[in-house]
Amino acid sequence: MKFLNILLVLFIVGCMSSPSMQSNLETYIVQVESPENQISTQSMSMDLESWYNSFLPKSIASTSSNEEVPRLIYSYHNVMKGFAARLSADQVKEMKKKSGFVNAWPERILSLHTTRTQSFLGLKQNIGLWRDSNYGKGVIIGVLDSGIFPDHPSFSDRGMPPPPAKWKGKCESNFTTKCNNKLIGARIFPKENGSPIDDDGHGTHTASTAAGGFVKGANVYGNANGTAVGVAPLAHLAIYKVCDSFGCSDSGILAAMDVAIDDGVDILSLSLGSSTSPFYSDSIALGAYSATQRGILVSCSAGNSGPSESSVANEAPWILTVGASTLDRKIKATVQLGNKKVFEGESAFHSKFFSTKFVPLFDPSLNASESDSSYCGSGTLTDRAVKGKIVLCMIGGGYTRIAKGQAVKDAGGVGMILINRIEDGFTTSADAHVLPAMDVTYEDGMKIIDYMNSTKKHVARITFQGTILGDQNAPVVAGFSSRGPSIASRGILKPDIIGPGVNILAAWPTSMENNTNTKSTFNIISGTSMSCPHLSGVAALLKSAHPTWSPAAIKSAIMTTADTTNLANGPILDETLLPASIFAFGAGHVNPERANDPGLIYDTPVKDYVPYLCGLNYTNREVGNLLQRKVDCSEVKSIPEAQLNYPSFSITLGENPQTYTRTVTNVGEAKSSYIVEIVSSQGVSVTVKPSTLKFLKMNQKKTYQVTFSRTANSSTSGVVQGFLKWTSNRHSVRSPIAVVLEETATLDF
Ligand SMILES: *[C@@H]1O[C@H](CO)[C@@H](O)[C@H](O)[C@H]1NC(C)=O
Ligand SMILES: *[C@@H]1O[C@H](CO)[C@@H](O)[C@H](O)[C@H]1NC(C)=O
Ligand SMILES: *[C@@H]1O[C@H](CO)[C@@H](O)[C@H](O)[C@H]1NC(C)=O
Ligand SMILES: *[C@@H]1O[C@H](CO)[C@@H](O)[C@H](O)[C@H]1NC(C)=O
Ligand SMILES: *[C@@H]1O[C@H](CO)[C@@H](O)[C@H](O)[C@H]1NC(C)=O
Ligand SMILES: *[C@@H]1O[C@H](CO)[C@@H](O)[C@H](O)[C@H]1NC(C)=O
Ligand SMILES: *[C@@H]1O[C@H](CO)[C@@H](O)[C@H](O)[C@H]1NC(C)=O
């Protein structure tokens, strides 16, 4: 997977950047107090700039001409009071003495974490949510990513209205002519990096997934052929290029969010992230908080560090955190061995008119001259014996799947079998390989190696069956999709939701087939980077259909209506094909049509985050940094995390019962009545009071109490999952419940 690779590239860059020849300066993000107390102001933004500049070192006397001088890179206005600047460690030390200084940290480098999708999600032309939302008309989705390939037909503005009057964004640099009524903004962070053109492909893919227009006959080597369209095809796109081949710096991400808030975006889509950190020092959490305050919904990828526990990123409760699952589509390939055994896998190589003859297999790890050869790293396949053979390559080692194929091809190999990691389970990847190649599970890979060990004359043949629809196991949680529980806030269930993120076809800057005759170029890739823009698109549709809904209301509508069963009507499975944990899928798989009419919503007024943050035991200063104002937690009635008015529950339960309240708002029929249904597994009792909620008006609010306690025969530890569901004759509003049973020494059996 490419994301793994980007992470590795970053790691290498990170190692090399410290003993830099030219400069001992690093980019720091510096947080300062609001200038109000410090200086009197007329023009706020002018004074902010000079206030920020007053923190920079004045004396640059000792710098010789070829040395870099300290300088301001970004001034932040919305996301925080502060700036990013090139500084030395000593200069930061000096700065700390100045009055008004709050905090400084070196910038972190974050990593970047279709046709079938829309009908799989139940979106149909001229009916339902697409009709009600007018395909997302009038809504602006801001995409922070690697830029955009503007000439792609997915970004044509045929049938697009001009941007709404509130739009203040623009197309920077020499890009103006490239913009149109679909692509209404394109900015670069930092500006010196030139053009918003996407030289990676990732940003083009995510933007078209969220809001690409209809393009007929989209496919890769004939695979996944159909009409490509984004989730919200009439929404506008504003591109903020924050990533290049080195990764995505959080100083630039903050600057992009800062500007996007003023530009007037409605949704922010971030398919990037790093590992968990407390919200006050997590740039995406900081920026997303300010965006949420301004009514912008922020949708983020959960990360590709699954299936390890507690690997979820972007976990603040004001963010929609999106995990990844499969479609019902497979792009099938088959390997036959000389002993007649057959293994199925996936590949986006030619679907038709192609099959390799039986040829010998080659396992580079058996004859390793280079330590990386089992990963088929570029230049590691030096053995002449590779020629004419199908090569077995392990996933990983810092090489992309496509690059491994290229290495095999360069070494004279005629085919490749990619063997997954054991933890990938049954999640396989269909890539647009440069030679006949396919991806198999670890288990099947080992069987193929066993066969090689069993005979000297080992041969195999790969054939391609192409696109097969109707996998009844779908949606299956992808092995790579990051898992909860959240580390930054255990009391909030994360990820919130899953959406399509495996083998997603969407726009790409170049032809994977080296076909220069077409502008209609697509690629199939996987990651929570792909599921995030699906949810950003769904949020745009809901925003268009319900312009008054807050970000929290949209999130609630998506979560309480999610599907919790697969196409076969069984429980949602994970990469092992066993029922997935609630920490893998949160509220479930997005169901856009149902989200359009949720009945009740759990709204979270922004002011509720204050007692929540104090309840996380952050210091006054830490809470103040997030909220950009002075906060005294001793004057705020702090609440436990699980008391936040959130559409799901994540409870850590000891011996004592815990009671929380929730408030729901009626957005269904004015006159309606809901009764509660509770399903809890063994060991935990859940009670709700009252058990009936009667509404007489629209937007009427009702509060209920829910109590969690252990039953007498409760086991000592483990995770128990259940849900509570409010049902009327037209709606069902479901909240998932995760209970982690704490070991209790005093409980005696
Ligand atoms: C914009 O300028 C950059 C160099 O600064 C160039 O690489 C790019 O092709 C130009 N883009 C357009 C759309 O002209
Ligand atoms: C894709 O589908 C369209 C419409 O069914 C068809 O005309 C076209 O030939 C197909 N393309 C490929 C490469 O299979
Ligand atoms: C291992 O490498 C040697 C030297 O390159 C070569 O002669 C031999 O055939 C290789 N063995 C296998 C099993 O490919
Ligand atoms: C496309 O062209 C490049 C450069 O010539 C080559 O390395 C690559 O293998 C080609 N890809 C395919 C699918 O033929
Ligand atoms: C195949 O044989 C090699 C060398 O004899 C051994 O190291 C390896 O574990 C065997 N692999 C399997 C899957 O049996
Ligand atoms: C905050 O501190 C209180 C009191 O020590 C403790 O009960 C609570 O669990 C802490 N909350 C978190 C989120 O750590
Ligand atoms: C545990 O107790 C509950 C009632 O408190 C009962 O319904 C359940 O069957 C019991 N489970 C076992 C395994 O004894």
Side-chain angles (χ1 to χ4, degrees), residues 363-619:
D363 180 357
S365 67
L366 292 182
N367 201 8
S369 53
E370 307 251 2
S371 57
D372 257 5
S373 59
S374 65
Y375 295 122
C376 301
S378 135
T380 64
L381 295 170
T382 47
D383 196 328
R384 287 245 195 84
V386 170
K387 208 161 184 328
K389 297 195 175 128
I390 293 176
V391 181
L392 303 185
C393 300
M394 304 300 296
I395 291 301
Y399 307 99
T400 65
R401 291 158 193 263
I402 303 272
K404 289 167 196 275
Q406 190 68 53
V408 170
K409 191 179 183 186
D410 292 346
V414 297
M416 173 174 71
I417 296 171
L418 274 171
I419 302 173
N420 276 348
R421 302 169 309 164
I422 195 162
E423 59 268 35
D424 296 324
F426 289 93
T427 303
T428 49
S429 182
D431 295 270
H433 292 290
V434 298
L435 83 174
M438 63 183 285
D439 190 26
V440 298
T441 65
Y442 179 81
E443 204 179 316
D444 288 349
M446 290 310 111
K447 286 182 190 152
I448 295 169
I449 292 175
D450 268 346
Y451 158 70
M452 285 188 69
N453 278 1
S454 72
T455 169
K456 283 216 171 80
K457 263 199 80 196
H458 36 70
V459 292
R461 182 166 93 106
I462 302 176
T463 54
F464 300 91
Q465 288 72 43
T467 311
I468 309 229
L469 298 180
D471 177 8
Q472 294 297 302
N473 281 333
V476 176
V477 180
F480 58 75
S481 187
S482 286
R483 309 293 152 97
S486 160
I487 289 179
S489 182
R490 269 194 95 82
I492 301 291
L493 180 63
K494 290 282 173 174
D496 291 307
I497 192 88
I498 53 172
V502 179
N503 300 331
I504 302 303
L505 181 134
W508 201 251
T510 54
S511 164
M512 298 307 290
E513 310 158 35
N514 285 348
N515 179 356
T516 50
N517 275 334
T518 176
K519 274 194 160 185
S520 178
T521 50
F522 292 88
N523 195 8
I524 296 173
I525 54 176
S526 301
T528 53
S529 277
M530 281 65 247
S531 54
C532 163
H534 277 101
L535 268 293
S536 309
V538 171
L541 296 178
L542 295 174
K543 176 85 188 169
S544 183
H546 309 277
T548 62
W549 284 7
S550 69
I554 292 174
K555 213 174 123 169
S556 171
I558 290 172
M559 287 169 66
T560 61
T561 57
D563 290 331
T564 53
T565 53
N566 61 18
L567 293 181
N569 243 335
I572 291 179
L573 309 177
D574 67 15
E575 72 287 346
T576 64
L577 296 187
L578 295 171
S581 151
I582 194 166
F583 291 119
F585 62 74
H589 188 263
V590 60
N591 182 329
E593 288 297 336
R594 289 196 53 211
N596 189 28
D597 185 16
L600 304 176
I601 51 175
Y602 293 82
D603 207 351
T604 316
V606 174
K607 64 171 175 40
D608 288 8
Y609 293 120
V610 185
Y612 160 81
L613 291 167
C614 289
L616 281 174
N617 298 335
Y618 291 173
T619 64

Side-chain angles (χ1 to χ4, degrees), residues 249-441:
S249 80
D250 67 345
S251 66
I253 292 168
L254 271 172
M257 292 175 101
D258 202 78
V259 171
I261 290 171
D262 284 335
D263 283 352
V265 302
D266 299 297
I267 311 288
L268 278 173
S269 189
L270 285 81
S271 290
L272 46 87
S274 63
S275 48
T276 178
S277 51
F279 301 143
Y280 53 81
S281 64
D282 174 338
S283 303
I284 294 180
L286 270 168
Y289 185 84
S290 303
T292 307
Q293 259 184 324
R294 301 274 286 265
I296 299 163
L297 182 137
V298 184
S299 159
C300 294
S301 47
N304 298 337
S305 306
S308 324
E309 228 180 77
S310 286
S311 49
V312 63
N314 298 325
E315 46 202 318
W318 46 88
I319 289 173
L320 179 66
T321 313
V322 188
S325 50
T326 61
L327 295 170
D328 65 339
R329 175 179 70 196
K330 289 216 177 294
I331 307 178
K332 194 169 134 187
T334 305
V335 55
Q336 286 169 271
L337 304 181
N339 65 0
K340 302 231 161 58
K341 286 221 169 90
V342 168
F343 300 99
E344 281 180 12
E346 287 196 88
S347 178
F349 194 68
H350 291 278
S351 64
K352 288 177 208 152
F353 318 121
F354 191 92
S355 70
T356 52
K357 299 190 289 284
F358 275 100
V359 296
L361 286 162
F362 181 85
D363 180 357
S365 67
L366 292 182
N367 201 8
S369 53
E370 307 251 2
S371 57
D372 257 5
S373 59
S374 65
Y375 295 122
C376 301
S378 135
T380 64
L381 295 170
T382 47
D383 196 328
R384 287 245 195 84
V386 170
K387 208 161 184 328
K389 297 195 175 128
I390 293 176
V391 181
L392 303 185
C393 300
M394 304 300 296
I395 291 301
Y399 307 99
T400 65
R401 291 158 193 263
I402 303 272
K404 289 167 196 275
Q406 190 68 53
V408 170
K409 191 179 183 186
D410 292 346
V414 297
M416 173 174 71
I417 296 171
L418 274 171
I419 302 173
N420 276 348
R421 302 169 309 164
I422 195 162
E423 59 268 35
D424 296 324
F426 289 93
T427 303
T428 49
S429 182
D431 295 270
H433 292 290
V434 298
L435 83 174
M438 63 183 285
D439 190 26
V440 298
T441 65

Side-chain angles (χ1 to χ4, degrees), residues 560 675-679 723-727 732-735:
T560 61
I675 54 165
V676 75
E677 177 197 345
I678 300 160
V679 169
F723 63 87
L724 70 82
K725 187 157 81 180
W726 291 100
T727 314
S732 96
V733 188
R734 183 184 183 279
S735 288

Side-chain angles (χ1 to χ4, degrees), residues 163-179:
K166 67 165 184 176
W167 178 242
K168 294 198 193 66
K170 60 175 186 176
C171 291
E172 278 177 349
S173 82
N174 53 0
F175 213 68
T176 324
T177 55
K178 296 286 180 188
C179 284

